[in-house]
Amino acid sequence: MNSFDELKEVVRRLRAPDGCPWDKEQTHSSLKPGCIEEAAEVICGINVYEKTGNPENLKEELGDLLLQVVMQAQIAEEEGIFTMDDVAKGITEKLIRRHPHVFGDVRVADSKEVLVNWEEIKAKEKEGKEDPNLYLPEAFNEAEKLIDAARKRKGFS
């Protein structure tokens, strides 16, 4: 079993009927504060690495953020809506679609052209679908509140 499969199995076990009471209680919504906090701690880890050259904190914080993703996917699997494999397949397919200069025969001159192509491909993918960006201002407002709460929990207010 590889490390990622072992992580998924540990999370599954934590949420099992005889698992951890705290982990079993978690929902998509209850994990929002942790997701925001872990993302901020990844940024901190990047900053520590850039200033000191020590990657250990970054590695640890990336693991904590990965746990958030795996936990969300485990909950979704329990709900019967998607699996971690569905998440991985979706991002893999998106990366291949949005990089035709790597996985296809499109030629690009520079990274600016890559970004232009990316946005054009993304716009085509979104045609005829509900625009999730309509919910983005609300999500940013919620994220700001969660960040403020995390600051207080960490003693930075």
Side-chain angles (χ1 to χ4, degrees):
M1 179 182 297
N2 67 38
S3 298
F4 186 70
D5 287 336
E6 187 176 5
L7 172 60
K8 291 190 315 184
E9 180 57 25
V10 166
V11 171
R12 186 204 62 74
R13 177 75 176 83
L14 289 171
R15 289 191 48 85
D18 61 342
C20 171
W22 184 88
D23 288 287
K24 292 188 309 186
E25 291 174 356
Q26 299 313 300
T27 66
H28 295 294
S29 289
S30 72
L31 291 171
K32 288 177 184 180
C35 188
I36 289 289
E37 193 167 321
E38 297 304 345
E41 289 177 0
V42 166
I43 293 169
C44 178
I46 293 167
N47 293 345
V48 168
Y49 173 63
E50 289 175 343
K51 286 180 174 58
T52 69
N54 185 339
E56 289 303 311
N57 184 256
L58 176 57
K59 178 175 66 175
E60 179 181 341
E61 298 306 342
L62 285 170
D64 291 347
L65 187 59
L66 179 59
L67 173 59
Q68 292 291 319
V69 174
V70 173
M71 183 75 87
Q72 290 282 356
Q74 176 62 36
I75 293 168
E77 185 169 346
E78 292 165 9
E79 296 172 343
I81 55 177
F82 59 82
T83 67
M84 186 71 232
D85 287 341
D86 296 329
V87 173
K89 182 180 180 187
I91 190 59
T92 299
E93 291 172 352
K94 181 190 291 187
L95 287 170
I96 291 168
R97 263 192 329 272
R98 293 190 187 177
H99 289 84
H101 55 285
V102 175
F103 300 103
D105 56 5
V106 172
R107 298 248 184 248
V108 294
D110 54 29
S111 61
K112 289 178 185 173
E113 197 172 341
V114 169
L115 294 176
V116 168
N117 289 346
W118 177 283
E119 290 302 324
E120 288 174 1
I121 294 165
K122 183 177 175 179
K124 288 178 188 170
E125 292 171 355
K126 304 292 181 189
E127 283 177 3
K129 296 180 181 176
E130 182 179 21
D131 185 1
N133 288 331
L134 297 174
Y135 303 93
L136 204 49
E138 178 184 343
F140 276 126
N141 289 335
E142 184 176 2
E144 287 174 1
K145 290 176 186 170
L146 291 169
I147 289 168
D148 287 342
R151 279 189 185 117
K152 288 178 183 162
R153 277 194 309 274
K154 297 282 189 176
F156 302 117
S157 55

